[in-house]
Coordinates of all heavy atoms in Angstrom, one line a residue:
N310 N -1.2 -1.2 -11.0 CA -0.6 -0.2 -10.1 C 0.7 -0.7 -9.4 O 1.7 0.0 -9.4 CB -1.6 0.2 -9.0 CG -2.5 1.3 -9.6 OD1 -2.4 1.8 -10.6 ND2 -3.7 1.4 -8.9
P315 N 0.2 3.2 -13.3 CA -0.8 3.7 -12.5 C -2.1 3.7 -13.2 O -2.2 4.2 -14.4 CB -0.4 5.2 -12.2 CG 0.7 5.4 -13.2 CD 1.4 4.1 -13.5
M316 N -3.2 3.3 -12.6 CA -4.5 3.2 -13.2 C -5.5 3.7 -12.2 O -5.4 3.5 -11.1 CB -4.9 1.8 -13.5 CG -3.9 0.9 -14.3 SD -3.6 1.4 -16.0 CE -5.1 0.9 -16.8
T324 N -5.0 13.1 -11.4 CA -4.6 12.3 -10.2 C -3.8 11.1 -10.8 O -2.9 10.6 -10.1 CB -5.8 11.9 -9.5 OG1 -6.5 13.0 -8.8 CG2 -5.4 10.8 -8.4
A327 N -0.3 12.4 -10.8 CA 0.1 12.3 -9.3 C 0.5 11.0 -8.9 O 1.5 10.8 -8.3 CB -0.9 12.9 -8.5
M328 N -0.3 10.0 -9.3 CA 0.0 8.6 -9.0 C 1.3 8.1 -9.7 O 2.1 7.4 -9.2 CB -1.1 7.6 -9.4 CG -2.3 7.8 -8.5 SD -3.9 7.1 -9.3 CE -3.5 5.4 -9.1
F329 N 1.5 8.6 -10.9 CA 2.7 8.2 -11.7 C 3.9 8.8 -11.0 O 5.0 8.1 -10.8 CB 2.5 8.8 -13.1 CG 3.7 8.5 -14.0 CD1 3.6 7.4 -14.9 CD2 4.8 9.2 -14.0 CE1 4.7 7.0 -15.7 CE2 5.9 8.9 -14.8 CZ 5.8 7.8 -15.7
M331 N 4.4 9.6 -7.8 CA 4.6 8.9 -6.6 C 5.2 7.5 -6.9 O 6.1 7.0 -6.2 CB 3.3 8.7 -5.8 CG 2.9 10.0 -5.0 SD 1.7 9.6 -3.7 CE 1.7 11.1 -2.8
D332 N 4.7 6.8 -7.9 CA 5.2 5.5 -8.3 C 6.6 5.6 -8.6 O 7.5 4.8 -8.2 CB 4.4 4.9 -9.4 CG 4.9 3.6 -9.8 OD1 4.6 2.5 -9.1 OD2 5.7 3.4 -10.7
M336 N 7.1 5.3 -3.8 CA 6.3 5.4 -2.7 C 4.8 4.9 -2.8 O 4.0 5.3 -2.0 CB 6.4 6.9 -2.1 CG 6.0 7.9 -3.2 SD 6.2 9.6 -2.7 CE 5.3 9.8 -1.2
G337 N 4.5 4.3 -3.9 CA 3.2 3.8 -4.2 C 2.4 4.8 -5.0 O 2.9 5.2 -6.1
G338 N 1.3 5.2 -4.5 CA 0.5 6.2 -5.2 C -0.8 5.5 -5.4 O -1.2 5.2 -6.5
S339 N -1.7 5.5 -4.4 CA -3.0 5.0 -4.4 C -4.0 6.1 -4.8 O -3.8 7.3 -4.4 CB -3.5 4.3 -3.1 OG -3.4 3.0 -3.2
F340 N -5.1 5.8 -5.4 CA -6.2 6.7 -5.7 C -7.0 6.9 -4.4 O -7.4 6.0 -3.8 CB -7.1 5.9 -6.7 CG -8.0 6.9 -7.5 CD1 -7.6 8.1 -8.0 CD2 -9.4 6.5 -7.7 CE1 -8.5 9.0 -8.7 CE2 -10.3 7.3 -8.4 CZ -9.8 8.5 -8.9
P360 N -9.4 1.1 -8.0 CA -8.0 0.5 -8.0 C -7.1 1.2 -7.0 O -7.3 2.4 -6.7 CB -7.5 0.9 -9.5 CG -8.3 2.1 -9.9 CD -9.6 2.0 -9.1
H361 N -6.2 0.4 -6.5 CA -5.3 0.8 -5.5 C -3.8 0.2 -5.7 O -3.7 -0.7 -6.5 CB -5.7 0.5 -4.1 CG -7.1 1.2 -3.9 ND1 -7.2 2.5 -3.7 CD2 -8.3 0.7 -3.9 CE1 -8.4 2.9 -3.5 NE2 -9.2 1.8 -3.7
H362 N -2.9 0.9 -5.1 CA -1.5 0.4 -5.1 C -1.2 -0.6 -4.2 O -0.8 -0.3 -3.1 CB -0.5 1.5 -5.1 CG 0.8 1.4 -5.8 ND1 1.6 0.3 -5.4 CD2 1.4 2.1 -6.7 CE1 2.7 0.4 -6.2 NE2 2.6 1.4 -7.0
I365 N 1.7 -1.1 -1.3 CA 1.9 -0.4 -0.1 C 0.8 -0.7 0.9 O 0.5 0.1 1.9 CB 1.9 1.2 -0.4 CG1 0.6 1.6 -1.1 CG2 3.2 1.5 -1.2 CD1 0.5 3.2 -1.3
L392 N -3.2 1.7 4.1 CA -1.8 1.8 3.8 C -0.9 1.4 4.9 O -1.4 1.3 6.1 CB -1.5 3.3 3.4 CG -1.4 3.7 1.9 CD1 -2.8 3.5 1.4 CD2 -0.9 5.1 1.8
Y456 N -6.8 12.6 -4.9 CA -5.3 12.8 -4.8 C -4.7 11.5 -4.8 O -5.3 10.4 -4.6 CB -5.1 13.7 -3.6 CG -5.7 13.3 -2.3 CD1 -5.0 12.3 -1.6 CD2 -6.9 13.6 -1.9 CE1 -5.5 11.8 -0.4 CE2 -7.5 13.2 -0.8 CZ -6.8 12.3 0.0 OH -7.3 11.8 1.2
A457 N -3.4 11.5 -5.0 CA -2.6 10.4 -4.8 C -2.1 10.3 -3.4 O -1.7 11.3 -2.8 CB -1.4 10.3 -5.8
L458 N -2.1 9.0 -2.8 CA -1.6 8.8 -1.4 C -0.5 7.7 -1.4 O -0.6 6.6 -2.0 CB -2.8 8.3 -0.7 CG -2.7 8.0 0.8 CD1 -2.3 9.3 1.6 CD2 -3.9 7.4 1.4
G459 N 0.6 8.1 -0.9 CA 1.8 7.3 -0.9 C 2.5 7.1 0.5 O 2.1 7.9 1.4
I460 N 3.4 6.3 0.6 CA 4.1 6.1 1.9 C 5.3 6.9 2.0 O 5.9 7.2 1.0 CB 4.4 4.5 2.2 CG1 5.3 4.0 1.1 CG2 3.1 3.8 2.3 CD1 5.7 2.5 1.3

Side-chain angles (χ1 to χ4, degrees):
N310 282 342
M316 311 291 287
T324 299
M328 293 165 68
F329 184 95
M331 282 196 167
D332 178 82
M336 55 189 299
S339 258
F340 196 46
H361 300 286
H362 204 302
I365 59 172
L392 265 64
Y456 49 89
L458 184 62
I460 58 174

